[in-house]
């Protein structure tokens, strides 16, 4: 609570700082984002890994508003507090620092809150800041900003009256006290599915993600891929499965079809993309569709495998966006056709690109490999044919990954200068996390 008040106070104080002092503010904003990281590391040290369920509960009296963490939330909080200092190193304006500090407060609150209405409010409040981040002028895109707001608000308008109905019946929306009747599980289940399917996202409500990534700055893409997509996963695990279990079982055939179509469509669409950001964005859709399918399989390893894949994707995908941002800073373009021979002019950058591409393709000794194997094991336990189809479709991921890498790295050398020490040290924490989780995942 003290860290949240401190971050909020610091963010509000930035209203009075002129843009000429942006470089001074960057140092203080970077230090401010390190405080939640230290707090989360302390929670990790105190967390009982052998226990199950929620720990470190904080309940605010008769309001029924409660906060707590489990293993999934703690891992995503560690990922979040790692990515925000990296984002601060990429920003150049006071407004950007203020926006990201407020986003960190909302995201950490959404990961900890145990009240469905509280999750909804924090979830929707982040849309305001995303709109400002993506629709900024002259570099942003108002069309992409409106698209993400309209897609998410369409699902939210379905969920909000459902929440009021549940509150009138149960007297609370806290998952610790809710007992949803069988006749209301279908209504609440469809409401939750409508809003969380947009956030994950699943086809056909996925079109906002590539446009948002293209319009967002590098720090915005890092945050969107590494943190904000995971709110949909934590929503499924914390609110949908425990509150509406009967609905989750009945809707599994539909979810499996949506995930399979999303996976195939995103991978096939990636083969036709020439924008590096869209290539990474469509690969994120494929990974998150596998996360969703593992969650709804509800097998022995479903929660562990899906959360591990979310963490692995949250390390690899932001690193790829950082590399694309480095290329854009030098060449002022993200189109694959304008890059060639980066292996000669950017040996360090090309090596990093290769490592994270292999991680995205679930190569052995990378965390994505372990996570996707566990997801397929979870799927084999409930539907063998669907698991075989996903195994075969993994070849498409290797096709678009190596196509993009070969097109950019090989060929006639006409690439920009190599990465600087500052850029390398920005990517280094993600590289260390990928190697650590790939070699020693436990």
């Amino acid at each position: 609570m003290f860290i949240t008040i401190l971050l909020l106070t610091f963010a509000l104080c930035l209203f009075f700082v002129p843009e000429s002092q942006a470089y001074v503010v960057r140092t203080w904003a970077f230090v401010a984002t390190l405080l939640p990281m230290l707090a989360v590391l302390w929670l990790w040290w105190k967390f009982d890994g052998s226990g199950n369920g929620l720990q470190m509960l904080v309940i605010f009296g008769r309001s029924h508003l409660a906060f707590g963490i489990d293993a999934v939330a703690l891992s995503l909080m560690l990922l979040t507090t790692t990515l925000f200092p990296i984002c601060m190193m990429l920003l150049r304006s006071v407004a950007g620092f203020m926006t990201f500090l407020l986003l960190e407060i909302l995201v950490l609150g959404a990961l900890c809150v145990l009240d469905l209405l509280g999750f909804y409010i924090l979830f929707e409040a982040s849309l305001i800041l995303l709109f400002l981040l993506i629709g900024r002028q002259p570099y942003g895109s108002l069309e992409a900003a409106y698209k993400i707001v309209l897609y998410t608000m369409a699902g939210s308008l379905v969920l909000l009256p459902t929440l009021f109905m549940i509150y009138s019946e149960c007297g609370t929306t806290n998952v610790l006290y809710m007992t949803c009747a069988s006749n209301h599980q279908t209504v609440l289940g469809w409401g939750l599915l409508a809003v969380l399917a947009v956030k994950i996202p699943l086809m056909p409500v996925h079109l906002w993600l590539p446009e948002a990534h293209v319009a967002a700055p590098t720090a915005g893409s890092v945050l969107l891929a590494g943190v904000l997509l995971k709110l949909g996963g934590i929503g499924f695990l914390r609110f949908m499965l425990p509150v509406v279990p009967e609905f989750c079982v009945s809707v599994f055939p539909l979810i499996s079809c949506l995930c399979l179509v999303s996976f195939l469509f995103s991978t096939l669409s990636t083969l036709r993309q020439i924008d590096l950001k869209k290539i990474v964005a469509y690969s994120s859709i494929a990974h998150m569709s596998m996360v969703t399918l593992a969650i709804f399989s509800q097998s022995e390893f479903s929660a562990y495998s899906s959360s591990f894949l979310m963490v692995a994707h949250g390390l690899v995908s932001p690193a790829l966006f950082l590399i694309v941002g480095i290329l854009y800073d030098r060449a002022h373009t993200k189109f694959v056709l304008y890059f060639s021979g980066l292996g000669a002019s950017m040996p360090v950058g090309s090596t990093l690109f290769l490592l994270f591409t292999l991680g995205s393709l679930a190569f052995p000794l990378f965390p994505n490999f372990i996570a996707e194997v566990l997801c397929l094991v979870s799927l084999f336990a409930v539907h063998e044919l669907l698991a075989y189809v996903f195994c075969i479709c993994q070849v498409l991921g290797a096709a678009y990954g190596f196509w993009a890498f070969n097109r950019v790295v090989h060929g006639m050398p006409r690439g920009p200068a190599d990465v600087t020490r500052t850029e390398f040290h920005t990517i280094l924490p993600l590289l260390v996390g990928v190697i650590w989780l790939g070699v020693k995942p436990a």
Side-chain angles (χ1 to χ4, degrees):
M1 183 63 67
F2 173 75
I3 299 295
T4 302
I5 296 174
L6 183 63
L7 285 178
L8 184 60
T9 304
F10 185 82
L12 295 178
C13 289
L14 294 182
F15 272 115
F16 308 102
V17 178
E19 286 290 339
S20 59
Q21 301 295 320
Y23 290 98
V24 178
V25 175
R26 176 189 293 179
T27 304
W28 289 102
F30 179 78
V31 173
T33 53
L34 291 179
L35 297 178
M37 180 189 294
L38 296 176
V40 173
L41 286 174
W42 180 80
L43 291 177
W44 174 71
W45 180 260
K46 293 292 184 180
F47 189 81
D48 183 12
S50 62
N52 297 319
L54 297 166
Q55 300 181 28
M56 303 178 188
L57 288 173
V58 178
I59 303 176
F60 291 93
R62 298 182 62 183
S63 65
H64 289 177
L65 182 62
F67 294 88
I69 59 172
D70 51 14
V72 178
L74 182 60
S75 60
L76 293 179
M77 288 172 67
L78 280 171
L79 176 65
T80 301
T81 53
T82 302
L83 290 177
F84 268 97
I86 295 176
C87 294
M88 289 300 172
M89 297 175 66
L90 303 173
L91 298 175
R92 300 173 183 174
S93 65
V94 175
F97 297 131
M98 182 176 61
T99 302
F100 273 76
L101 286 173
L102 293 175
L103 266 175
E104 184 170 15
I105 296 172
L106 295 176
V107 171
L108 291 177
L111 292 175
C112 295
V113 70
L114 302 177
D115 188 274
L116 191 51
L117 184 59
F119 178 78
Y120 174 85
I121 293 173
L122 294 169
F123 182 84
E124 297 301 321
S126 64
L127 283 180
I128 303 172
L129 301 176
L130 276 180
F131 181 87
L132 298 175
L133 186 65
I134 296 172
R136 77 202 191 287
Q137 296 297 326
Y139 304 106
S141 170
L142 280 175
E143 181 182 357
Y146 279 119
K147 188 174 291 187
I148 182 175
V149 171
L150 290 176
Y151 269 84
T152 309
M153 287 299 295
S156 301
L157 292 176
V158 178
L159 178 61
L160 187 58
T162 308
L163 291 179
F164 290 147
M165 181 191 71
I166 297 299
Y167 185 82
S168 65
E169 178 191 356
C170 303
T172 181
T173 54
N174 193 318
V175 294
L176 299 176
Y177 309 110
M178 280 179 62
T179 54
C180 189
S182 299
N183 57 336
H184 288 158
Q185 282 202 20
T186 302
V187 179
L188 180 58
W190 282 115
L192 285 170
L193 183 61
V195 69
L196 296 176
V198 177
K199 204 67 175 180
I200 276 283
L202 293 177
M203 188 179 177
V205 288
H206 68 289
L207 296 177
W208 63 269
L209 184 61
E211 301 297 331
H213 274 301
V214 171
T218 302
S221 295
V222 168
L223 186 63
L224 188 58
V227 176
L228 295 177
L229 294 185
K230 311 305 181 290
L231 292 180
I234 195 71
F236 281 134
L237 287 170
R238 175 171 291 172
F239 298 107
M240 197 162 180
L241 292 184
V243 176
V244 287
E246 298 177 8
F247 174 81
C248 292
V249 173
S250 64
V251 84
F252 176 74
L254 174 63
I255 294 295
S256 60
C257 291
L258 286 178
C259 291
L260 180 60
V261 172
S262 299
F263 188 88
L264 290 174
F265 180 82
S266 58
T267 50
L268 292 174
S269 299
T270 309
L271 292 171
R272 296 185 57 85
Q273 300 301 320
I274 59 174
D275 190 314
L276 284 173
K277 267 197 169 184
K278 282 193 175 182
I279 291 174
V280 183
Y282 274 108
S283 68
S284 297
I285 298 175
H287 286 112
M288 296 310 294
S289 64
M290 182 169 288
V291 168
T292 307
L293 190 58
I295 291 173
F296 277 87
S297 66
Q298 300 189 56
S299 60
E300 182 180 359
F301 300 105
S302 59
Y304 177 77
S305 61
S306 57
S307 60
F308 194 78
L309 184 53
M310 284 193 286
V311 173
H313 175 264
L315 292 172
V316 173
S317 189
L320 289 173
F321 279 115
L322 285 173
I323 295 173
V324 174
I326 292 171
L327 295 177
Y328 182 79
D329 287 339
R330 286 158 169 74
H332 302 291
T333 182
K334 301 185 292 289
F335 293 111
V336 177
L337 303 176
Y338 292 97
F339 295 105
S340 178
L342 294 188
S345 60
M346 296 182 65
V348 177
S350 300
T351 303
L352 292 173
F353 191 19
L354 173 63
L355 291 175
F356 289 112
T357 299
L358 292 176
S360 180
L361 302 181
F363 200 75
L365 296 181
F366 287 90
N368 295 60
F369 172 75
I370 302 169
E372 292 191 11
V373 167
L374 289 174
C375 287
L376 291 174
V377 169
S378 301
L379 188 55
F380 264 111
V382 295
H383 202 297
E384 294 183 1
L385 179 60
L386 193 60
Y388 279 120
V389 172
F390 264 87
C391 289
I392 296 172
C393 293
Q394 293 296 323
V395 179
L396 297 174
Y400 71 72
F402 283 122
W403 175 85
F405 176 79
N406 291 334
R407 182 65 182 82
V408 170
V409 173
H410 300 298
M412 292 296 294
R414 63 171 189 265
D418 207 352
V419 297
T420 63
R421 288 186 178 182
T422 302
E423 293 167 341
F424 177 77
H425 290 146
T426 303
I427 304 177
L428 184 60
L430 301 179
L431 180 62
V432 172
V434 166
I435 295 176
W436 180 27
L437 291 179
V439 176
K440 192 179 184 301

